[in-house]
Coordinates of all heavy atoms in Angstrom, one line a residue:
M6 N 86.1 92.7 111.1 CA 85.2 93.5 110.2 C 85.9 93.8 108.9 O 87.1 94.0 108.9 CB 84.8 94.7 111.0 CG 83.6 95.4 110.4 SD 82.1 94.4 110.4 CE 81.9 94.2 112.2
A7 N 85.1 93.9 107.9 CA 85.7 94.3 106.6 C 84.6 94.9 105.7 O 83.5 94.9 106.1 CB 86.2 93.0 105.9
F8 N 85.1 95.5 104.6 CA 84.1 95.9 103.7 C 83.9 94.8 102.7 O 84.7 93.9 102.5 CB 84.6 97.2 102.9 CG 84.4 98.5 103.7 CD1 85.1 98.7 104.9 CD2 83.6 99.4 103.3 CE1 84.9 99.8 105.7 CE2 83.4 100.6 104.0 CZ 84.0 100.8 105.2
I9 N 82.7 94.8 102.0 CA 82.4 93.8 101.0 C 81.9 94.5 99.7 O 81.5 95.6 99.7 CB 81.3 92.8 101.5 CG1 80.0 93.5 101.7 CG2 81.8 92.1 102.8 CD1 78.9 93.2 100.7
I10 N 82.0 93.7 98.6 CA 81.4 94.2 97.3 C 80.2 93.4 97.0 O 80.3 92.1 97.0 CB 82.5 94.1 96.2 CG1 83.7 95.1 96.6 CG2 81.9 94.6 94.9 CD1 84.9 95.0 95.6
A11 N 79.1 94.0 96.6 CA 77.9 93.4 96.3 C 77.5 93.5 94.8 O 78.3 93.9 94.0 CB 76.8 94.0 97.2
E12 N 76.3 93.0 94.5 CA 75.9 92.8 93.1 C 76.1 93.9 92.1 O 76.4 93.7 90.9 CB 74.4 92.4 93.1 CG 73.9 92.0 91.8 CD 72.4 91.6 91.9 OE1 72.1 90.4 92.2 OE2 71.5 92.5 91.7
P13 N 75.9 95.2 92.6 CA 76.0 96.3 91.6 C 77.3 96.4 90.8 O 77.4 97.0 89.8 CB 75.7 97.6 92.4 CG 74.9 97.1 93.5 CD 75.4 95.7 93.9
C14 N 78.4 95.8 91.4 CA 79.7 95.8 90.7 C 79.6 95.0 89.4 O 80.4 95.3 88.5 CB 80.8 95.2 91.6 SG 82.4 95.1 90.9
I15 N 78.8 93.9 89.4 CA 78.8 93.0 88.2 C 78.6 93.8 86.9 O 77.6 94.5 86.8 CB 77.7 91.9 88.4 CG1 78.0 91.1 89.6 CG2 77.7 91.0 87.1 CD1 76.9 90.1 90.0
G16 N 79.5 93.7 86.0 CA 79.4 94.3 84.7 C 79.8 95.8 84.7 O 80.0 96.3 83.6
T17 N 80.0 96.4 85.8 CA 80.5 97.8 85.9 C 82.0 97.6 86.1 O 82.8 98.0 85.2 CB 79.9 98.6 87.0 OG1 78.5 98.7 86.8 CG2 80.5 100.0 87.0
C18 N 82.4 97.1 87.2 CA 83.8 96.6 87.4 C 84.8 97.6 86.9 O 85.7 97.2 86.1 CB 83.9 95.3 86.7 SG 84.9 94.1 87.7
D19 N 84.7 98.9 87.3 CA 85.6 99.9 86.7 C 86.9 100.0 87.4 O 87.8 100.8 87.0 CB 84.9 101.2 86.7 CG 84.8 101.8 88.1 OD1 84.7 101.0 89.1 OD2 84.8 103.0 88.2
T20 N 87.1 99.2 88.5 CA 88.4 99.1 89.2 C 88.8 100.4 90.0 O 89.9 100.4 90.5 CB 89.6 98.6 88.4 OG1 90.0 99.6 87.5 CG2 89.2 97.4 87.5
S21 N 87.9 101.3 90.1 CA 88.2 102.5 90.9 C 88.6 102.2 92.3 O 89.5 102.8 92.9 CB 87.0 103.5 91.0 OG 86.7 103.9 89.7
C22 N 88.0 101.2 92.9 CA 88.2 100.8 94.3 C 89.7 100.3 94.4 O 90.3 100.5 95.4 CB 87.2 99.8 94.8 SG 87.0 98.4 93.7
V23 N 90.1 99.5 93.4 CA 91.4 98.9 93.5 C 92.5 100.0 93.6 O 93.5 99.8 94.3 CB 91.7 98.1 92.2 CG1 93.1 97.5 92.2 CG2 90.6 97.0 92.1
E24 N 92.3 101.1 92.9 CA 93.3 102.2 92.8 C 93.6 102.8 94.2 O 94.7 103.3 94.5 CB 92.9 103.3 91.9 CG 92.5 102.8 90.5 CD 93.7 102.2 89.8 OE1 94.8 102.5 90.1 OE2 93.4 101.3 88.9
V25 N 92.6 102.8 95.1 CA 92.7 103.5 96.3 C 93.0 102.6 97.5 O 93.3 103.0 98.6 CB 91.5 104.4 96.7 CG1 91.3 105.4 95.6 CG2 90.2 103.6 96.8
C26 N 92.9 101.3 97.3 CA 93.1 100.3 98.4 C 94.5 100.3 98.8 O 95.4 99.9 98.0 CB 92.6 99.0 98.1 SG 92.8 97.8 99.4
P27 N 94.8 100.6 100.1 CA 96.2 100.6 100.5 C 96.9 99.2 100.8 O 98.1 99.1 100.9 CB 96.2 101.4 101.8 CG 94.8 101.2 102.4 CD 93.9 101.0 101.2
V28 N 96.0 98.2 100.8 CA 96.6 96.9 101.1 C 96.4 95.9 99.9 O 96.6 94.7 100.1 CB 96.0 96.3 102.4 CG1 96.5 97.2 103.6 CG2 94.5 96.3 102.4
D29 N 95.9 96.3 98.8 CA 95.8 95.5 97.6 C 95.0 94.2 97.9 O 95.4 93.1 97.6 CB 97.1 95.1 97.1 CG 97.1 94.5 95.7 OD1 96.1 94.8 94.9 OD2 98.0 93.7 95.3
C30 N 93.8 94.4 98.5 CA 93.0 93.2 98.9 C 91.7 93.0 98.0 O 90.8 92.3 98.4 CB 92.6 93.3 100.3 SG 91.5 94.6 100.8
I31 N 91.7 93.7 96.8 CA 90.5 93.7 96.0 C 90.9 93.0 94.7 O 91.7 93.4 93.9 CB 89.9 95.1 95.7 CG1 89.7 95.8 97.0 CG2 88.7 95.0 94.9 CD1 89.2 97.3 96.8
H32 N 90.2 91.8 94.4 CA 90.5 91.0 93.3 C 89.3 90.4 92.7 O 88.2 90.4 93.3 CB 91.5 89.9 93.7 CG 92.8 90.4 94.3 ND1 93.8 90.9 93.5 CD2 93.1 90.6 95.6 CE1 94.8 91.3 94.3 NE2 94.4 91.1 95.6
G33 N 89.4 89.8 91.5 CA 88.2 89.2 90.9 C 88.7 88.0 90.1 O 89.8 87.6 90.0
T34 N 87.7 87.3 89.4 CA 88.0 86.1 88.6 C 88.8 86.4 87.4 O 89.5 85.6 86.9 CB 86.7 85.4 88.2 OG1 85.8 86.4 87.6 CG2 86.0 84.8 89.4
M35 N 88.8 87.7 87.0 CA 89.6 88.2 85.9 C 90.7 89.1 86.5 O 90.3 90.0 87.3 CB 88.8 88.9 84.8 CG 89.6 89.4 83.6 SD 88.5 90.3 82.4 CE 87.5 89.0 81.7
P36 N 91.9 88.9 86.1 CA 92.9 89.9 86.7 C 92.6 91.3 86.4 O 92.1 91.6 85.3 CB 94.2 89.4 85.9 CG 94.0 88.0 85.5 CD 92.5 87.9 85.2
V37 N 92.9 92.2 87.4 CA 92.5 93.6 87.3 C 93.1 94.2 86.0 O 92.5 95.0 85.3 CB 92.9 94.3 88.6 CG1 92.7 95.8 88.4 CG2 92.0 93.9 89.7
D38 N 94.4 93.9 85.7 CA 95.0 94.5 84.5 C 94.3 94.1 83.3 O 94.2 94.9 82.3 CB 96.5 94.0 84.4 CG 97.4 94.7 85.5 OD1 96.9 95.7 86.1 OD2 98.5 94.2 85.6
E39 N 93.8 92.9 83.2 CA 93.0 92.4 82.1 C 91.7 93.2 81.9 O 91.3 93.6 80.9 CB 92.7 90.9 82.2 CG 92.5 90.2 80.9 CD 92.3 88.7 81.0 OE1 93.2 88.1 81.7 OE2 91.4 88.2 80.5
I40 N 91.0 93.4 83.1 CA 89.8 94.2 83.1 C 90.0 95.6 82.6 O 89.3 96.1 81.7 CB 89.2 94.3 84.5 CG1 88.8 92.9 85.0 CG2 88.0 95.2 84.5 CD1 88.4 92.8 86.5
K41 N 91.1 96.2 83.0 CA 91.5 97.6 82.6 C 91.7 97.6 81.1 O 91.3 98.6 80.4 CB 92.7 98.0 83.3 CG 92.5 98.4 84.7 CD 93.8 98.9 85.4 CE 93.6 99.3 86.8 NZ 94.9 99.6 87.5
E42 N 92.3 96.6 80.5 CA 92.6 96.5 79.1 C 91.2 96.5 78.3 O 91.0 97.2 77.3 CB 93.4 95.3 78.7 CG 94.9 95.5 79.0 CD 95.7 94.2 78.9 OE1 95.2 93.3 78.2 OE2 96.8 94.1 79.5
H43 N 90.3 95.7 78.8 CA 89.0 95.6 78.2 C 88.2 96.9 78.3 O 87.5 97.4 77.4 CB 88.2 94.5 78.8 CG 88.6 93.1 78.4 ND1 88.8 92.7 77.1 CD2 89.0 92.0 79.1 CE1 89.2 91.5 77.0 NE2 89.3 91.0 78.2
Q44 N 88.4 97.5 79.5 CA 87.7 98.9 79.7 C 88.2 99.9 78.7 O 87.5 100.6 78.1 CB 88.0 99.4 81.2 CG 87.4 98.6 82.3 CD 86.0 99.0 82.6 OE1 85.4 99.7 81.9 NE2 85.5 98.5 83.7
A45 N 89.6 99.9 78.6 CA 90.2 100.9 77.7 C 89.8 100.7 76.2 O 89.6 101.6 75.4 CB 91.7 100.8 77.8
A46 N 89.5 99.4 75.9 CA 89.1 99.0 74.5 C 87.6 99.2 74.3 O 87.1 98.9 73.2 CB 89.6 97.6 74.2
G47 N 86.9 99.5 75.4 CA 85.4 99.6 75.2 C 84.8 98.2 75.0 O 83.6 98.1 74.6
N48 N 85.5 97.2 75.4 CA 85.0 95.8 75.2 C 84.2 95.3 76.5 O 84.6 94.5 77.2 CB 86.2 94.9 75.0 CG 85.7 93.5 74.6 OD1 84.6 93.2 74.3 ND2 86.7 92.6 74.7
K49 N 83.0 95.9 76.7 CA 82.2 95.6 77.9 C 81.8 94.2 78.0 O 81.6 93.7 79.1 CB 81.0 96.6 77.9 CG 81.4 98.0 78.3 CD 80.1 98.7 78.8 CE 80.5 99.9 79.6 NZ 79.9 100.1 80.8
E50 N 81.6 93.5 76.9 CA 81.1 92.1 76.9 C 82.1 91.2 77.6 O 81.7 90.3 78.3 CB 80.8 91.6 75.5 CG 79.8 92.3 74.7 CD 80.2 93.6 74.1 OE1 81.4 93.7 73.8 OE2 79.4 94.5 74.0
A51 N 83.3 91.6 77.6 CA 84.4 90.7 78.1 C 84.3 90.6 79.7 O 84.7 89.6 80.2 CB 85.8 91.3 77.8
F52 N 83.7 91.6 80.3 CA 83.6 91.5 81.8 C 82.1 91.7 82.3 O 81.9 92.1 83.4 CB 84.5 92.6 82.5 CG 84.4 94.0 82.0 CD1 83.5 94.8 82.6 CD2 85.1 94.5 80.9 CE1 83.3 96.1 82.2 CE2 84.9 95.8 80.5 CZ 84.0 96.6 81.1
A53 N 81.2 91.4 81.4 CA 79.8 91.6 81.7 C 79.3 90.8 82.9 O 78.4 91.2 83.6 CB 78.9 91.2 80.5
S54 N 80.0 89.7 83.2 CA 79.6 88.9 84.4 C 80.6 88.9 85.5 O 80.5 88.1 86.4 CB 79.4 87.4 83.9 OG 80.6 86.9 83.4
I55 N 81.5 89.8 85.4 CA 82.6 89.9 86.3 C 82.4 90.9 87.4 O 81.8 92.0 87.2 CB 84.0 90.3 85.6 CG1 84.3 89.3 84.5 CG2 85.1 90.4 86.6 CD1 84.8 88.0 85.0
Q56 N 82.7 90.5 88.7 CA 82.7 91.5 89.8 C 84.0 91.3 90.6 O 84.7 90.3 90.4 CB 81.5 91.3 90.7 CG 81.6 90.2 91.7 CD 80.7 90.4 92.9 OE1 79.6 90.0 92.9 NE2 81.3 91.1 93.9
L57 N 84.3 92.3 91.4 CA 85.5 92.1 92.3 C 85.0 91.8 93.7 O 83.9 92.0 94.0 CB 86.3 93.4 92.3 CG 86.9 93.9 90.9 CD1 87.8 95.1 91.0 CD2 87.6 92.7 90.2
F58 N 86.0 91.3 94.5 CA 85.7 90.9 95.8 C 86.8 91.5 96.8 O 87.9 91.7 96.3 CB 85.7 89.4 96.0 CG 84.6 88.7 95.2 CD1 85.0 88.1 93.9 CD2 83.3 88.6 95.6 CE1 84.0 87.5 93.2 CE2 82.3 88.0 94.8 CZ 82.7 87.4 93.6
I59 N 86.4 91.6 98.0 CA 87.4 92.1 99.0 C 87.8 91.0 100.0 O 86.9 90.3 100.5 CB 86.8 93.3 99.9 CG1 86.6 94.5 98.9 CG2 87.7 93.7 101.0 CD1 85.8 95.7 99.6
D60 N 89.1 90.8 100.1 CA 89.6 89.7 101.0 C 89.4 90.2 102.5 O 90.1 91.1 102.9 CB 91.1 89.5 100.7 CG 91.6 88.3 101.5 OD1 91.0 87.9 102.6 OD2 92.6 87.7 101.0
P61 N 88.5 89.6 103.2 CA 88.2 90.0 104.6 C 89.3 89.8 105.6 O 89.4 90.5 106.6 CB 87.0 89.2 105.0 CG 87.1 87.9 104.2 CD 87.7 88.4 102.9
D62 N 90.3 88.9 105.2 CA 91.4 88.7 106.1 C 92.5 89.8 105.9 O 93.4 89.9 106.8 CB 92.1 87.3 105.8 CG 91.1 86.2 106.3 OD1 90.3 86.5 107.2 OD2 91.2 85.1 105.7
I63 N 92.4 90.5 104.8 CA 93.5 91.5 104.6 C 92.9 93.0 104.7 O 93.7 93.9 105.1 CB 94.1 91.3 103.2 CG1 94.8 89.9 103.2 CG2 95.2 92.4 102.9 CD1 95.4 89.5 101.9
C64 N 91.7 93.1 104.4 CA 91.0 94.5 104.5 C 91.3 95.1 105.9 O 91.0 94.4 106.9 CB 89.5 94.3 104.2 SG 88.6 95.9 104.4
I65 N 91.7 96.3 105.9 CA 92.0 97.0 107.2 C 90.8 97.9 107.6 O 91.0 98.8 108.5 CB 93.3 97.8 107.2 CG1 93.3 98.8 106.0 CG2 94.5 96.8 107.1 CD1 94.5 99.7 106.1
D66 N 89.7 97.8 106.8 CA 88.5 98.6 107.2 C 88.7 100.1 107.1 O 88.1 100.8 108.0 CB 88.1 98.1 108.6 CG 86.6 98.3 108.9 OD1 85.8 98.3 107.9 OD2 86.2 98.4 110.1
C67 N 89.5 100.5 106.2 CA 89.8 102.0 106.1 C 88.7 102.8 105.5 O 88.6 104.0 105.7 CB 91.1 102.2 105.4 SG 91.0 101.9 103.6
G68 N 87.9 102.1 104.6 CA 86.8 102.8 104.0 C 87.1 103.6 102.8 O 86.2 104.3 102.2
A69 N 88.4 103.6 102.4 CA 88.8 104.4 101.2 C 88.1 104.0 99.9 O 87.8 104.9 99.1 CB 90.3 104.4 101.0
C70 N 87.7 102.8 99.8 CA 87.1 102.3 98.5 C 85.7 102.7 98.4 O 85.2 103.0 97.2 CB 87.3 100.8 98.4 SG 86.6 99.9 99.9
E71 N 85.0 102.8 99.5 CA 83.5 102.9 99.4 C 83.1 104.1 98.6 O 82.2 104.0 97.7 CB 83.0 102.9 100.8 CG 81.5 102.8 100.9 CD 80.8 104.2 101.0 OE1 81.5 105.2 101.3 OE2 79.6 104.3 100.6
P72 N 83.6 105.4 98.8 CA 83.1 106.5 98.1 C 83.6 106.5 96.6 O 83.1 107.3 95.8 CB 83.7 107.7 98.9 CG 84.9 107.2 99.6 CD 84.6 105.7 99.9
E73 N 84.5 105.7 96.3 CA 85.0 105.7 94.9 C 84.1 104.9 93.9 O 84.2 105.1 92.7 CB 86.4 105.0 94.8 CG 87.5 105.7 95.6 CD 87.7 107.1 95.1 OE1 87.8 107.3 93.9 OE2 87.8 108.1 96.0
C74 N 83.2 104.1 94.5 CA 82.4 103.2 93.6 C 81.3 104.0 93.0 O 80.4 104.5 93.7 CB 81.9 102.0 94.5 SG 80.9 100.9 93.4
P75 N 81.2 104.0 91.6 CA 80.2 104.7 90.9 C 78.8 104.1 91.0 O 77.8 104.8 90.7 CB 80.7 104.7 89.5 CG 81.5 103.5 89.4 CD 82.1 103.3 90.7
V76 N 78.7 102.9 91.5 CA 77.4 102.2 91.5 C 77.0 101.8 92.9 O 76.1 101.0 93.1 CB 77.4 101.0 90.6 CG1 77.4 101.4 89.1 CG2 78.5 100.0 90.9
E77 N 77.8 102.3 93.9 CA 77.5 102.0 95.3 C 77.3 100.5 95.6 O 76.4 100.1 96.2 CB 76.2 102.8 95.8 CG 76.4 104.3 95.7 CD 75.1 105.1 96.2 OE1 74.3 104.5 96.8 OE2 75.1 106.3 95.8
A78 N 78.4 99.8 95.2 CA 78.4 98.4 95.4 C 79.2 98.0 96.7 O 79.2 96.8 97.0 CB 79.1 97.7 94.2
I79 N 79.8 98.9 97.4 CA 80.7 98.6 98.5 C 80.1 99.0 99.8 O 79.6 100.1 100.0 CB 82.1 99.3 98.3 CG1 82.7 99.0 97.0 CG2 83.0 99.0 99.5 CD1 84.0 99.7 96.7
F80 N 80.1 98.0 100.7 CA 79.5 98.3 102.0 C 80.3 97.7 103.1 O 81.0 96.8 103.0 CB 78.1 97.5 102.1 CG 77.1 98.0 101.1 CD1 77.1 97.3 99.9 CD2 76.3 99.0 101.3 CE1 76.2 97.7 98.9 CE2 75.4 99.4 100.3 CZ 75.3 98.7 99.1
E81 N 80.3 98.4 104.3 CA 80.8 97.8 105.5 C 79.9 96.6 105.8 O 78.7 96.7 105.7 CB 80.9 98.8 106.7 CG 81.8 98.3 107.8 CD 82.1 99.5 108.7 OE1 81.4 100.5 108.8 OE2 83.2 99.4 109.4
E82 N 80.5 95.5 106.2 CA 79.8 94.3 106.4 C 78.5 94.5 107.1 O 77.4 94.0 106.7 CB 80.6 93.3 107.2 CG 81.3 92.2 106.4 CD 82.1 91.3 107.3 OE1 81.6 90.9 108.4 OE2 83.2 90.9 106.9
D83 N 78.5 95.2 108.2 CA 77.3 95.4 109.1 C 76.3 96.3 108.4 O 75.1 96.3 108.9 CB 77.7 96.0 110.4 CG 78.4 95.0 111.3 OD1 78.4 93.8 111.0 OD2 78.9 95.4 112.4
D84 N 76.7 97.0 107.4 CA 75.7 97.9 106.8 C 75.2 97.4 105.4 O 74.6 98.1 104.7 CB 76.4 99.3 106.5 CG 76.6 100.0 107.8 OD1 75.9 99.8 108.8 OD2 77.6 100.9 107.9
T85 N 75.6 96.1 105.1 CA 75.1 95.6 103.9 C 73.6 95.4 103.8 O 73.0 94.9 104.7 CB 75.8 94.1 103.7 OG1 77.2 94.3 103.8 CG2 75.4 93.5 102.3
P86 N 73.0 95.9 102.7 CA 71.5 95.8 102.6 C 71.1 94.3 102.7 O 71.8 93.5 102.2 CB 71.2 96.4 101.2 CG 72.4 97.4 101.0 CD 73.6 96.7 101.6
A87 N 69.9 94.1 103.2 CA 69.5 92.7 103.4 C 69.5 91.9 102.1 O 69.9 90.7 102.1 CB 68.1 92.7 104.0
E88 N 69.1 92.6 101.0 CA 69.1 91.8 99.7 C 70.4 91.3 99.3 O 70.5 90.4 98.4 CB 68.4 92.7 98.7 CG 69.3 94.0 98.4 CD 68.6 95.0 97.4 OE1 68.1 94.6 96.4 OE2 68.6 96.2 97.8
W89 N 71.5 91.9 99.8 CA 72.8 91.5 99.4 C 73.7 90.9 100.5 O 74.9 90.7 100.3 CB 73.6 92.7 98.7 CG 72.9 93.2 97.5 CD1 72.4 92.4 96.5 CD2 72.8 94.5 97.0 NE1 71.9 93.1 95.5 CE2 72.1 94.5 95.8 CE3 73.2 95.7 97.6 CZ2 71.8 95.6 95.0 CZ3 72.9 96.9 96.8 CH2 72.2 96.8 95.6
E90 N 73.0 90.4 101.5 CA 73.8 89.9 102.7 C 74.6 88.6 102.3 O 75.6 88.3 102.8 CB 72.8 89.6 103.8 CG 72.7 90.8 104.8 CD 71.8 90.5 105.9 OE1 71.2 89.4 106.0 OE2 71.6 91.4 106.7
S91 N 74.1 87.9 101.3 CA 74.8 86.7 100.8 C 76.2 87.1 100.3 O 77.1 86.2 100.2 CB 74.0 86.0 99.8 OG 73.8 86.8 98.6
Y92 N 76.4 88.3 99.9 CA 77.7 88.7 99.3 C 78.8 88.8 100.4 O 79.9 88.8 100.0 CB 77.5 90.1 98.6 CG 76.9 89.9 97.2 CD1 75.6 89.8 97.0 CD2 77.8 89.7 96.1 CE1 75.0 89.5 95.8 CE2 77.2 89.5 94.8 CZ 75.9 89.4 94.7 OH 75.3 89.2 93.4
I93 N 78.4 88.8 101.6 CA 79.4 88.8 102.7 C 80.2 87.5 102.6 O 81.4 87.5 102.6 CB 78.8 89.0 104.1 CG1 78.1 90.4 104.2 CG2 79.8 88.8 105.2 CD1 77.2 90.6 105.4
Q94 N 79.4 86.4 102.5 CA 80.0 85.1 102.4 C 80.7 84.9 101.0 O 81.8 84.3 100.9 CB 79.0 84.0 102.6 CG 79.6 82.6 102.8 CD 80.4 82.5 104.1 OE1 80.0 82.9 105.1 NE2 81.6 82.0 103.9
L95 N 80.1 85.4 100.0 CA 80.7 85.3 98.6 C 82.0 86.0 98.5 O 83.0 85.4 97.9 CB 79.7 85.9 97.6 CG 78.5 85.1 97.2 CD1 77.6 85.9 96.3 CD2 78.8 83.8 96.6
N96 N 82.2 87.1 99.2 CA 83.5 87.8 99.2 C 84.5 86.9 99.9 O 85.6 86.7 99.4 CB 83.4 89.2 99.9 CG 82.9 90.2 98.9 OD1 83.7 91.2 98.5 ND2 81.7 90.2 98.5
A97 N 84.2 86.4 101.1 CA 85.1 85.5 101.9 C 85.4 84.3 101.1 O 86.6 83.9 101.0 CB 84.5 85.2 103.2
D98 N 84.4 83.6 100.5 CA 84.6 82.4 99.8 C 85.5 82.5 98.6 O 86.3 81.6 98.3 CB 83.2 81.8 99.2 CG 82.4 81.3 100.4 OD1 82.9 81.1 101.5 OD2 81.2 81.0 100.1
F99 N 85.5 83.7 97.9 CA 86.4 83.9 96.8 C 87.9 83.7 97.1 O 88.7 83.3 96.3 CB 86.2 85.3 96.2 CG 87.0 85.6 95.0 CD1 86.7 85.0 93.8 CD2 88.2 86.3 95.0 CE1 87.4 85.2 92.6 CE2 88.9 86.5 93.9 CZ 88.6 86.0 92.7
F100 N 88.2 84.0 98.4 CA 89.6 83.9 98.8 C 90.0 82.6 99.5 O 91.1 82.5 100.0 CB 90.0 85.1 99.6 CG 89.9 86.4 98.9 CD1 88.7 87.2 98.9 CD2 90.9 86.8 98.0 CE1 88.6 88.4 98.2 CE2 90.7 88.0 97.3 CZ 89.6 88.8 97.4
E101 N 89.0 81.7 99.5 CA 89.3 80.4 100.2 C 90.3 79.6 99.4 O 90.3 79.6 98.2 CB 88.0 79.6 100.4 CG 87.1 80.1 101.4 CD 87.7 80.0 102.8 OE1 88.1 78.9 103.2 OE2 87.8 81.0 103.5
Ligands
SF4_260 S1 88.1 99.3 103.2 FE1 90.3 99.9 102.8 S2 91.5 98.1 103.0 FE2 89.3 97.4 102.9 S3 89.1 97.0 100.7 FE3 88.4 99.1 101.0 S4 90.2 100.4 100.6 FE4 90.9 98.2 100.9
SF4_261 S1 84.5 100.7 92.2 FE1 82.6 99.6 92.5 S2 82.0 98.9 90.4 FE2 84.1 99.6 90.3 S3 85.2 97.6 90.6 FE3 85.0 98.6 92.6 S4 83.2 97.7 93.5 FE4 83.2 97.3 91.3

């Protein structure tokens, strides 16, 4: 079991979840440090299509990330809303 990140992260991508994850299992197509630089510069266009994903093989299911997300994009796998169930596989596929 793991937590997953769904569609609402896209374009928000504020990296709050990364800060609290004890096992560093949250990553995206753009390095987190680069996202933070764009955030600090107010350059929202740079990560407009970017989202982060959770590595299901490393996530320890602690739940620390879930309440940190300002757009409620993080779900425990079994509680993922039906409309975003495809994101369970998308999170796993990102780390293949
Ligand atoms: S549930 Fe815990 S281990 Fe898994 S991604 Fe969130 S903070 Fe990291
Ligand atoms: S806290 Fe939410 S919006 Fe921010 S990067 Fe994590 S999943 Fe995406």
Side-chain angles (χ1 to χ4, degrees):
M6 196 62 64
F8 278 66
I9 65 108
I10 297 176
E12 187 180 273
C14 177
I15 299 172
T17 300
C18 220
D19 72 331
T20 74
S21 300
C22 53
V23 177
E24 306 299 331
V25 299
C26 180
V28 292
D29 192 26
C30 67
I31 305 175
H32 303 279
T34 49
M35 183 183 287
V37 169
D38 285 347
E39 203 174 314
I40 296 171
K41 285 180 179 172
E42 284 171 19
H43 288 306
Q44 293 273 12
N48 187 14
K49 283 199 162 228
E50 296 78 30
F52 54 89
S54 61
I55 300 290
Q56 80 155 92
L57 300 186
F58 299 98
I59 294 172
D60 187 336
D62 290 335
I63 299 179
C64 174
I65 58 171
D66 206 22
C67 72
C70 55
E71 190 269 337
E73 298 299 317
C74 183
V76 291
E77 298 184 15
I79 302 175
F80 301 92
E81 195 161 23
E82 260 182 39
D83 284 351
D84 292 333
T85 303
E88 62 186 311
W89 292 324
E90 271 180 359
S91 62
Y92 281 82
I93 297 171
Q94 192 63 47
L95 285 173
N96 277 249
D98 287 350
F99 181 76
F100 297 95
E101 288 294 308

